[in-house]
Structure formats: C-alpha cells, structure tokens
Amino acid sequence: MVSLQVDGGYSAWREQALRALAAGWSPEQLCWSEKSREAGAASQQMGLDYELSSPVSSISLREPQVCEPNAEFAVRISKGLSALLQDAALCRTPERWALLYRVLWRWHHGERSVASVADEDGARLYEMAKAVRKEKHDMMAYVRFRHCGQGKRPEYWAWFEPEHEVLEWIADYFSKRMGSTSWCIATPQRVALWDGENLQLRDAPDNVDELRSGPSDDQVEALWLRYYRSIFNPARLNETALQQSMPVRFWKGLPEASLIPAMVSEARNGARRVGQSGLVARMPGKSVAVTADSAQPIRGELSVLERCRRCGLWENATQAVPGEGPTTARMMLLGEQPGDHEDLAGRVFVGPAGQVLDQALQRAGLDRDQLYVSNAVKHFKWEGRGRQRLHVSPSPAEVQACGHWLREELAQLEPAVIVTLGATALMALLGSKARLADFLSKPFLWGQTWVIATWHPSYALRVQNAARQEEIVSGIAQAMQMGWQLANAPTADGA
C-alpha cells in the first residue's frame, strides 16, 4: 500500500496523481490523505485593520486545462472532465482524492464511460461537482459585506461559513467585481484579503472567532435593514418559499436575518390581513377627479353565448368561441372544442390543428370562407402542466349542455352537409356514443342533412409516423371533397 499526501488542493493532487499513473499504481494500491492544518498554525492575531504580508503572491483561478505535468508523462482528458475534477476537488469529503484518482485511472485506461452520470464513479463525481457549484452560487448570493469605515483597511468585511472549499473561487469573483475597493472575506478555515490590487489567501488566524461579528458601527447596514423592513409585505409571506430561497443555515451571516423571526411572527398574528395598508395610507399622493363610470374600461356588450353558464367550463376559459362563416354556407365543419390558441384568439381553428385543416382544405380545392366552421363545445377545457395548458376532452354532460348552441346554429344555417371532425363532434350530433370507426368516410342521412365523419385534424399532430400522418390528412381532404359534392348536387337523390 502506497500512501500519498495532498498538500495544496487540486494542483497538489494533480502532481501526485500523475506521478502515480506514471508508476502504474492502481487505485487499490494507494491510500490518499490530506495534510491537516495544525491548530494555531497561523500563529498570529488578526484585526479588522490588517496589513498585507510582503511579498504578496497574486492569486487567480485558472481555466480548466488538460493534465500535462511534464514532458515525460502526460494524460489527455476532455475539458468537461477537467472542469468536473477541479470542481469535485473542492468538495469537503474524505473520499475526494481517491475518487478523483479512480476516475483519472479509468479514463487513462480507455474507460470513457467514467465521465458519464450513468457510471457509478461518474455519478458521484457529478454529485460532488454539483454540490460545489451550488455552494459557489450560494456564496455569491449570501455574502454580506459590512462597512468598516471610510479610510480603513479593509473598507468592507464579510463572514461566511461555506460547506466546501470555494473561498479562492469566490475571492477571485469579488476581486473583479469590486474593483479597487479593499475587502476581507473570513471563513472558519481561511481568510481572503483584497487591497484593490492584490489578492491574498491565508489560513484563518487564532482569533478568527472574535472576528465573526465584524464591525459594529456600520451605517450602511442600518440603512439596508431599514430598507429590508420597508419592502417586507406580510400579506404575501410564504414561509416555505422563504426558507427554500434563503436556507436557514445562511441566516447567521445575514444582517436582515435578525429581523425575519419578528416579521414572520407579526404576519402570523394578524399583519397578513392588512399588509402594508398603514404605510400606503400615509404616503403623500395627488387626488385625481374622476367619476366611477368614466374610470371603467370600454367593453363591448356581452353576447348571449358569452353569458353561458350551462356547465362549468366557462370558469377557466378565456372566452366562448363561436362558429364563424357565411350563414348561407351549404357545408358545415364541426369540431370538438376550442384549443389553447382558439381560446386566446376567440376564433375557431387558428392553432396547429387549424393549420392541418387548412392543408386538407387546400388539397380538396376548397376555401374556408365558403364553409361554416364551429365546435360542438364552445369553451376550452384544459389542465395545467407547468406553464402549458393541455387539452382535456369534454365529458358527455358538457357536450350535452353545449348542445343548445349547436341546435341554434343548425336551425339558423340549415346546412346540406355536415362534416364531423372527430368522435366528440359525431356524438354531439347523433346524441349517442357513436364509434367513429363505424361511420368513417361513409356518408349517411341525418334527417334531411348529409353527414360525413372523419378524423379531427389534431389526430395528425399526435401520430409520429409520417406515412400515417399523410393518410390522415388525405382522409380529411377526401371527406371535404365528398361533402362539397353532396352540398352542391341538384338534389339529395341525385347526389
């Protein structure tokens, strides 16, 4: 068993790992350890008014690079794997150096699957890298600088307790972001110092716990706390969302955290009901002379259909979607219900299914303006999935409730031919559980009106096979041609 000690993070491990690879040592032959910092190793006290040690070594992060330690032995790895290794090396787990070497060993021996999340070692590597990247994001979000005073060095002080070794990365980030302003970020393990030109990392001093609270007379922080309290709206408090977006473990470093328990308590005890009404009522404003009637938006008169409450679909729909087309049309197309696009636009067949319908009409040589197009159900029935509104077929009771409007349309139009698009439209017309397959492309008389059943255009959008899609669109086009011939025949008998 060969013992290898890492002293200096990823770069030190990299040198040791490449030496082990050159020697042909397998992961099972190695025992990895990390040089621990002895208590009091810093051997110095540190105050808020610090001096940078001389000489100063500038520190900055390197871009991910492939492993090329020397000319004698080199290992080529992808940039993606290099970035994963460097991030995972910052994860504070006892296994990290052994895992990183095992991944590198397997890659070097041709096992490219080790860089996949489907691999056991790869999955653990991704998990560690993800935890480090999240800690980087959290540290950017939750580091709070306190003002030490004008002319003091550092001018700003921050305390943070990261779960992983991300201080060097975040220090490089803030050195670029804060320009020439001097600051210090202290953690229980290390301290980052920036004087406006140079960045230095030190081991935490012996008195690091005394520095945890930082400066006590920060006037900027007092202004921030006043602002934070003023924007808090108890009426909109969501405690679960608060703790998810601002985990409790970060509260000890956040000045505003001292206000949160009291504000939450006030919200629970009745402040939710009144929100910010007291503050808003005291705000100066300008009175505007306007009558209640003139303040109302201009809206058109509601149609009878828009007042329909025969079923519950109106509650979640944007509007009722009536049929459209010339009242003298000889042929009527009857669909199922409006879709998402139709619900928003207030017009029938203007979405993806409408495009398929237009394609079928074009093949049949027909113009939509010659036809009357409508739906059996006039309101859009849907269910939410994320930000999408997905179609839900109407129930028989909802189809029956909307039958009133269909009967009114038929009485007004008296069409010679009705082409039903889909099973719901056919059922709405016949008033029974008719099977579409039994009537497909077979004209039949319904009273004095010819009826031709075909697929709904949306069916072509759901199938994945291109040949099947072509068959559906062609079938709809043929039904349109057949209906148009029947509609324009001299008599029904001569059709």
Side-chain angles (χ1 to χ4, degrees), residues 36-79:
S36 59
R37 298 184 178 91
E38 297 179 1
S43 68
Q44 71 217 29
Q45 301 291 313
M46 179 176 169
L48 294 181
D49 195 5
Y50 70 89
E51 291 291 338
L52 279 175
S53 60
S54 181
V56 175
S57 57
S58 180
I59 298 174
S60 62
L61 294 181
R62 297 191 301 268
E63 293 295 324
Q65 299 175 355
V66 294
C67 296
E68 292 180 337
N70 52 54
E72 297 178 0
F73 185 79
V75 178
R76 303 292 298 182
I77 64 176
S78 68
K79 288 186 178 180

Side-chain angles (χ1 to χ4, degrees), residues 117-138:
V117 72
D119 182 86
E120 183 177 355
D121 288 335
R124 179 58 182 147
L125 188 70
Y126 273 91
E127 181 183 354
M128 291 165 61
K130 181 179 179 180
V132 168
R133 290 165 185 169
K134 184 179 185 303
E135 193 69 13
K136 290 178 180 179
H137 176 272
D138 288 340

Side-chain angles (χ1 to χ4, degrees), residues 308-341:
C308 179
R309 302 295 184 265
R310 292 175 178 269
C311 69
L313 295 185
W314 66 272
E315 296 183 35
N316 297 318
T318 305
Q319 58 193 317
V321 182
E324 61 180 41
T327 56
T328 57
R330 298 280 295 162
M331 190 165 89
M332 176 182 183
L333 304 185
L334 184 64
E336 181 194 71
Q337 68 168 356
D340 181 58
H341 291 78

Side-chain angles (χ1 to χ4, degrees), residues 255-319:
E256 63 268 28
S258 61
L259 303 176
I260 294 176
M263 293 192 297
V264 170
S265 178
E266 290 173 6
R268 289 174 179 168
N269 294 329
R272 263 195 186 99
R273 293 193 297 270
V274 296
Q276 296 173 312
S277 60
L279 293 174
V280 173
R282 292 195 299 270
M283 290 182 179
K286 183 181 293 185
S287 299
V288 179
V290 61
T291 62
D293 292 339
S294 62
Q296 294 297 318
I298 300 175
R299 297 189 180 98
E301 289 294 325
L302 292 176
S303 67
V304 176
L305 176 59
E306 288 174 326
R307 293 195 184 98
C308 179
R309 302 295 184 265
R310 292 175 178 269
C311 69
L313 295 185
W314 66 272
E315 296 183 35
N316 297 318
T318 305
Q319 58 193 317

Side-chain angles (χ1 to χ4, degrees), residues 126-173:
Y126 273 91
E127 181 183 354
M128 291 165 61
K130 181 179 179 180
V132 168
R133 290 165 185 169
K134 184 179 185 303
E135 193 69 13
K136 290 178 180 179
H137 176 272
D138 288 340
M139 195 165 181
M140 281 193 294
Y142 300 119
V143 162
R144 292 289 187 271
F145 285 100
R146 294 181 171 180
H147 194 239
C148 300
Q150 198 69 30
K152 292 187 177 181
R153 297 180 66 84
E155 190 174 347
Y156 289 92
W157 171 273
W159 172 267
F160 196 81
E161 299 182 16
E163 291 186 341
H164 304 292
E165 297 173 4
V166 297
L167 178 62
E168 181 176 340
W169 187 92
I170 205 70
D172 187 79
Y173 167 81

Side-chain angles (χ1 to χ4, degrees), residues 425-434 439 444 446 451:
L426 183 62
M427 182 183 71
L429 197 63
L430 300 183
S432 62
K433 293 183 179 180
F439 295 89
F444 64 93
W446 181 64
V451 177

